[in-house]
Amino acid sequence: MPELSPALYRAGEGEPLVLIHGFTATWRCWLPVLGLLVPRFEVIAPTLHGHDGGRPSPPGAETLGQATDHFESLLDELGVGTAHLAGNSMGGALALELAKRGRARSVVAISPGGGWREDDAREVERIIRLFKRTQRSARATVKHHEKLLARPGFRKIGMRDIMARGHLVPAEEAVLMTRSSIRCSVVQDVFKTMRDGSGRVVDLDQVKAPTLIAWGDKDRLLPMDRHAERFRTEIPGGQFRVLRGLGHTPMWDDPAQIAELIAGFATAASAAGNRQAASVTAGSAGSAG
């Protein structure tokens, strides 16, 4: 039965595909690709705890590991055991954490967070300053969001840190996106994890699923040259793809490319898994004979 609420989007039939949004966003960041994915999968897109429309932040969900615990319990409640996972930014980090726990059939992580070097406090502070600047601007102009964001040029400039083609976002959706960002209640908690190191993704060699890391070469929030190396080199058998001309949250930049990236990789991983299972079954039958 399809579900649509601020807390959850769920529709379609087929293998489960869980979409995990980034920090200060909501499930609506996946809107441009939903129509392309629903005919091929059961698409499940929750709003994370502490984010606008999501559940209140529970006690003990501060670190990345604790946030993954909470998300895993949400999957249990939704009746989702394993699933194909696609995550953006912080959602990409969560997807990789879930893959380490055996919950992923495949992972597409788009500009995943948590990849900065352990000793790079300067980069952490740069990211925090960027978020703070964006939130200050959003709060200062809250009475004028509709008027300002009605202008494509303003949308492109205002969203330049998270997408390359912000003018493509409909004005009404840009208003919702901007207001949701300042309603996120876990901002300071996330900043704390970034500063104390508990927001980094570690033990990437423990990722237990076919994984594709994709990165926009116009990503200003988490530039590829500073954040991608560990994901590129430490995930066993991982694939890496550069998204030319796209930004940090590229679903609006090029919906067709991102939908096919996710669907194509999940479908190929599923087919490979089926072939492997058939080979094992055939081998067992041959040994029995």
Side-chain angles (χ1 to χ4, degrees):
M1 193 74 176
E3 294 185 48
L4 178 62
S5 72
L8 179 68
Y9 174 93
R10 188 171 193 170
E13 297 180 359
E15 289 195 77
L17 169 64
V18 176
L19 305 177
I20 314 173
H21 66 76
F23 181 40
T24 78
T26 73
W27 70 257
R28 297 182 68 86
C29 75
W30 299 102
L31 272 176
V33 300
L34 293 178
L36 299 168
L37 295 173
V38 165
R40 302 171 69 173
F41 302 92
E42 180 190 16
V43 177
I44 303 154
T47 294
L48 296 173
H49 71 266
H51 289 67
D52 187 27
R55 298 182 179 188
S57 182
E62 287 83 13
T63 69
L64 180 58
Q66 290 166 337
T68 309
D69 291 341
H70 180 69
F71 196 84
E72 197 168 13
S73 69
L74 176 60
L75 292 180
D76 292 341
E77 288 180 33
L78 294 171
V80 179
T82 62
H84 299 289
L85 306 176
N88 175 226
S89 197
M90 184 169 75
L94 285 169
L96 292 167
E97 289 293 315
L98 289 164
K100 286 157 55 177
R101 301 180 183 199
R103 298 298 293 258
R105 302 182 189 187
S106 69
V107 174
V108 175
I110 303 170
S111 293
W116 55 85
R117 295 196 320 271
E118 187 174 10
D119 60 351
D120 199 350
R122 179 178 294 184
E123 179 64 4
V124 167
E125 292 303 323
R126 182 194 67 82
I127 298 166
I128 290 174
R129 284 197 305 273
L130 189 152
F131 273 108
K132 285 183 174 180
R133 183 189 72 197
T134 301
Q135 293 213 313
R136 279 197 306 270
S137 175
R139 288 193 175 96
T141 59
V142 68
K143 294 182 180 179
H144 309 289
H145 285 169
E146 287 88 350
K147 181 178 180 180
L148 292 171
L149 292 167
R151 298 156 54 188
F154 187 89
R155 296 199 298 276
K156 184 170 185 177
I157 293 171
M159 297 182 180
R160 65 188 180 279
D161 290 325
I162 58 170
M163 58 187 76
R165 304 168 187 168
H167 59 287
L168 298 180
V169 181
E172 298 82 359
E173 201 59 41
V175 170
L176 290 174
M177 192 182 304
T178 303
R179 290 183 177 167
S180 288
S181 73
I182 57 178
R183 291 171 181 159
C184 179
S185 66
V186 293
V187 170
Q188 295 305 320
D189 291 335
V190 172
F191 289 169
K192 178 177 179 294
T193 70
M194 292 174 67
R195 286 173 167 141
D196 69 17
S198 61
R200 292 179 73 245
V201 181
V202 297
D203 300 325
L204 285 165
D205 61 325
Q206 298 301 309
V207 172
K208 301 174 181 177
T211 299
L212 170 64
I213 305 295
W215 223 289
D217 65 356
K218 301 297 183 184
D219 189 335
R220 294 165 57 106
L221 179 60
L222 302 180
M224 185 166 52
D225 61 345
R226 283 177 250 174
H227 292 265
E229 185 61 20
R230 292 179 52 237
F231 299 110
R232 187 198 290 262
T233 60
E234 295 179 20
I235 298 173
Q239 299 181 34
F240 189 89
R241 189 174 306 177
V242 177
L243 306 174
R244 303 291 178 189
L246 306 188
H248 179 70
T249 303
M251 292 79 83
W252 289 100
D253 286 342
D254 192 337
Q257 182 180 172
I258 300 306
E260 185 52 40
L261 182 86
I262 294 168
F265 189 76
T267 300
S270 184
N274 290 339
R275 286 194 299 271
Q276 184 177 20
S279 176
V280 170
T281 301
S284 299
S287 298

